[in-house]
Amino acid sequence: MTALPTLYSFRRCPYAMRARLALAVSGQACELREVVLKNKPQGLLLASPKGTVPVLVLPSGQVLEQSLEIMRWALAQHDPGGWLTPSQGNLQDMLALIAECDGPFKQALDRCKYPSRYPDADISVERARAVAWLSALEARFSPDQPFLFGTHAALADMAIAPFVRQFAGIDADWWAAQPWPRLQAWLAQWQASDLLASVMHKLPAWVDGTEGVLFPHAVESTDGIPDQGSA
Ligand SMILES: N[C@@H](CCC(=O)N[C@@H](CS)C(=O)NCC(=O)O)C(=O)O
């Protein structure tokens, strides 16, 4: 698999999930190396000393070490679903919404999901922040616009859904009770999608010096959707 890009990934990481979704939809084959974050392989740290996943090492040696960079690179190769060209708004608009997700929403998500890691945080304030942002997402949808930027799923949907899923998973009953029917339907549809299932295979941890596995996988995942992952 030497001519393929190498993807360092972690199954449950929402950033790695969004990268795998874009690589899968673009049909871009890679050698996937599953990383255990508590025991990062040397190969990852040599390629990208900051040690986060996902990381994509191209055959040229170029290293893409941000999930969004990987998504955009994959879609620049092939974008059969028009993820870069939503029916409403444009790429810059999608990147602006993704930045809100990766910044303030992710911050609130972490504090609500792992309160013991943030003893100084006021969880009710953080939850209110997250609720305000999720309510704004709900307001984007309409019967003719079931996706964040129009009539078809695009970059923003795929980049943001893994994080909304994590928030929904903190308390499924609470999530189901929120007045967000379109957001709930959007998330449920994404969670049930074949595309998501196709990037959620359980894989053994990659060991330095060995070969990873070919991604996208030839066989559909039967593992289902995992428990709510760490981030
Ligand atoms: N900005 C990065 C964030 C990636 C990130 O933070 N990934 C987490 C896992 S979900 C990670 O690798 N953390 C390093 C660690 O836990 O040691 C991206 O978009 O790729």
Side-chain angles (χ1 to χ4, degrees), residues 55-69:
V55 166
L56 189 71
V57 183
L58 300 181
S60 65
Q62 190 187 347
V63 179
L64 307 183
E65 46 185 6
Q66 293 294 333
S67 54
L68 261 184
E69 259 185 283

Side-chain angles (χ1 to χ4, degrees), residues 8-225:
Y8 291 94
S9 178
F10 170 51
R11 179 174 182 260
R12 297 185 312 172
C13 164
Y15 299 100
M17 284 168 68
R18 62 158 66 142
R20 295 197 306 275
L21 288 166
L23 289 162
V25 85
S26 74
Q28 173 62 57
C30 309
E31 178 190 338
L32 191 159
R33 299 178 173 179
E34 180 72 11
V35 169
V36 174
L37 292 174
K38 289 198 180 80
N39 184 22
K40 293 175 189 163
Q42 277 305 307
L44 168 64
L45 297 172
L46 285 172
S48 176
K50 75 179 173 46
T52 63
V53 291
V55 166
L56 189 71
V57 183
L58 300 181
S60 65
Q62 190 187 347
V63 179
L64 307 183
E65 46 185 6
Q66 293 294 333
S67 54
L68 261 184
E69 259 185 283
I70 298 172
M71 292 186 88
R72 293 180 65 180
W73 177 84
L75 296 168
Q77 313 306 306
H78 188 42
D79 182 15
W83 288 14
L84 294 176
T85 49
S87 66
Q88 298 271 318
N90 58 30
L91 179 60
Q92 291 313 316
D93 298 327
M94 291 197 291
L95 293 175
L97 190 66
I98 295 168
E100 290 176 16
C101 172
D102 290 12
F105 179 65
K106 167 75 167 134
Q107 209 179 350
L109 164 63
D110 285 347
R111 282 157 181 73
C112 294
K113 187 166 161 59
Y114 307 109
S116 62
R117 291 188 199 167
Y118 302 95
D120 296 336
D122 181 336
I123 301 306
S124 57
V125 170
E126 300 299 336
R127 189 180 303 109
R129 284 195 180 125
V131 162
W133 192 70
L134 293 165
S135 301
L137 291 191
E138 171 71 18
R140 301 183 67 86
F141 298 115
S142 69
D144 318 342
Q145 177 163 318
F147 297 97
L148 292 173
F149 286 84
T151 52
H152 68 266
L155 183 81
D157 301 275
M158 297 298 164
I160 291 172
F163 296 87
V164 176
R165 168 179 169 268
Q166 281 201 332
F167 196 85
I170 296 173
D171 182 342
D173 292 337
W174 178 90
W175 174 258
Q178 300 314 300
W180 300 328
R182 294 185 175 125
L183 183 66
Q184 287 154 342
W186 168 85
L187 181 66
Q189 183 190 41
W190 177 79
Q191 289 194 272
S193 67
D194 290 343
L195 181 65
L196 179 61
S198 77
V199 306
M200 296 306 294
H201 289 246
K202 283 189 177 134
L203 299 171
W206 177 73
V207 175
D208 279 293
T210 64
E211 199 161 284
V213 300
L214 184 62
F215 178 89
H217 313 293
V219 183
E220 194 78 342
S221 170
T222 52
D223 295 332
I225 307 307

